Amino acid sequence: MAWAKGRYEVSTAADDSDIRAAQRLRWLCFIGTRQGLTESDELDADDYDHRCRHVLIRDHASGQLVACFRMLTLSGGAEIGDSYSARYYNLSRLADFRGKMVEIGRFCIHPEWADPDILRLAWAALARHVDGEGVEMLFGCSSFIGTDTHGYEDAFAMLRERHLAPKRWLPRVKAPQVFRFARALRLKKPDPRAAMAEMPPLLRSYLAMGGWVSDHAVVDAQLGTLHVFTGLEIRAIPPA
C-alpha cells in the first residue's frame, strides 16, 4: 500500500528500516517528549512489532516520518487473548465476537507536526484496510498523556456518562494499577467543552464514530500514560 494525498505519502513498512523509523518516532512521542527531546536514536519496540502491519505517513517533500501506527488483524474474538490489549485488560467477553478484528496500536504523531490532515490520512489508511479485509471491529488502547488523573476529570466523567462499552463486551480489570473512573466519578456531571479539550484526538475520532471504552483506565508507568480500552463496531459507524 502506497499512495499520496496533498503534501503527505502513506505507505506500509516494507523492511526493517521502515519499522525502526516507526520505533524511533514512537520513542520520541511516548518517552522523548517527557524528557524534552525532539530527536533521538532510541527505539520503542516490543515483541508485537514483527506480527503487525505498520502504517507510515511521511512528508512528501522532506521524507520525514510524521505519524505511524500498527495493525494486528485477528480472525475473530477467539484470538483476542493474543492481542497487546489483552496484557492489560480481561477481554474474555469479547471472545464471543464473530468477525474479523483489527487492533490499532502505538498511534502517534510527531510532536512538531500539528496538521489535522495527518489524523484524517491515518483514518483513511485504516478505512482502506477495513474495507479490503472485511473487518468488523476495531479496538486498541487510547492513551492520555501522563499518569496523573488530575486535569482529566471531565473527560473521564463524559466517558462514564456517554461512552461505556455495552455490558456484553465490557472489559474487566486485569492490570495491577487502574483508575476506576466509572465508579470514582459516578456523581460528577461533566463539562462537555472541557471534556472534549481533555480527550486525545484519536479517542475523539473513535467516539465520534460510535466507539466505546472500558469503565477503567490502566496506569502505564512504562510509557507514562493512562489508557482506556476502546472498541468500535464497523456496522455501528454512522453513514456521515
Side-chain angles (χ1 to χ4, degrees):
M1 178 184 75
W3 47 280
K5 179 75 172 178
R7 66 179 296 182
Y8 302 107
E9 181 180 88
V10 183
S11 64
T12 52
D15 52 33
D16 288 345
S17 65
D18 282 343
I19 295 175
R20 282 194 297 274
Q23 292 167 337
R24 279 195 296 273
L25 179 59
R26 284 161 26 186
W27 188 91
L28 280 173
C29 293
F30 298 127
I31 300 171
T33 52
R34 302 205 311 265
Q35 302 175 5
L37 301 176
T38 58
E39 295 293 338
S40 174
D41 288 327
E42 296 282 349
L43 303 178
D44 166 58
D46 65 19
D47 54 326
Y48 279 86
D49 280 330
H50 74 280
R51 300 172 54 192
C52 295
R53 178 182 297 187
H54 299 261
V55 177
L56 314 175
I57 302 176
R58 289 186 169 92
D59 174 57
H60 186 70
S62 66
Q64 181 176 6
L65 184 64
V66 298
C68 65
F69 63 92
R70 67 186 186 188
M71 303 183 294
L72 177 66
T73 302
L74 307 176
S75 64
E79 298 179 356
I80 196 75
D82 294 331
S83 67
Y84 175 85
S85 301
R87 291 184 169 183
Y88 298 96
Y89 302 89
N90 179 337
L91 302 176
S92 56
R93 289 175 175 170
L94 279 162
D96 292 332
F97 186 85
R98 302 187 184 281
K100 257 186 188 179
M101 312 171 80
V102 169
E103 180 178 39
I104 310 303
R106 290 302 203 266
F107 176 85
C108 60
I109 297 176
H110 196 289
E112 295 181 349
W113 291 73
D115 188 347
D117 282 345
I118 295 173
L119 182 58
R120 296 188 186 103
L121 282 173
W123 277 106
L126 185 54
R128 290 188 179 203
H129 184 70
V130 166
D131 290 342
E133 297 289 331
V135 174
E136 296 185 34
M137 180 182 284
L138 303 176
F139 70 94
C141 302
S142 297
S143 298
F144 293 78
I145 297 173
T147 57
D148 188 349
T149 61
H150 179 68
Y152 294 129
E153 290 89 350
D154 285 290
F156 282 120
M158 179 171 280
L159 292 178
R160 177 201 59 77
E161 183 178 90
R162 303 184 185 180
H163 302 291
L164 289 185
K167 189 173 182 179
R168 69 184 185 280
W169 305 135
L170 186 65
R172 286 173 283 190
V173 172
K174 181 176 184 179
Q177 191 174 1
V178 301
F179 172 46
R180 297 175 183 257
F181 62 84
R183 180 185 303 175
L185 301 175
R186 65 187 181 278
L187 300 180
K188 179 175 176 57
K189 187 70 175 174
D191 177 323
R193 180 173 294 182
M196 295 311 291
E198 295 165 9
M199 293 281 186
L202 182 64
L203 181 55
R204 283 202 300 264
S205 297
Y206 271 119
L207 299 179
M209 291 188 285
W212 41 258
V213 301
S214 53
D215 60 1
H216 62 283
V218 170
V219 181
D220 189 334
Q222 180 183 0
L223 291 181
T225 63
L226 294 160
H227 59 73
V228 291
F229 182 88
T230 309
L232 174 63
E233 295 177 68
I234 303 303
R235 64 185 179 185
I237 298 176

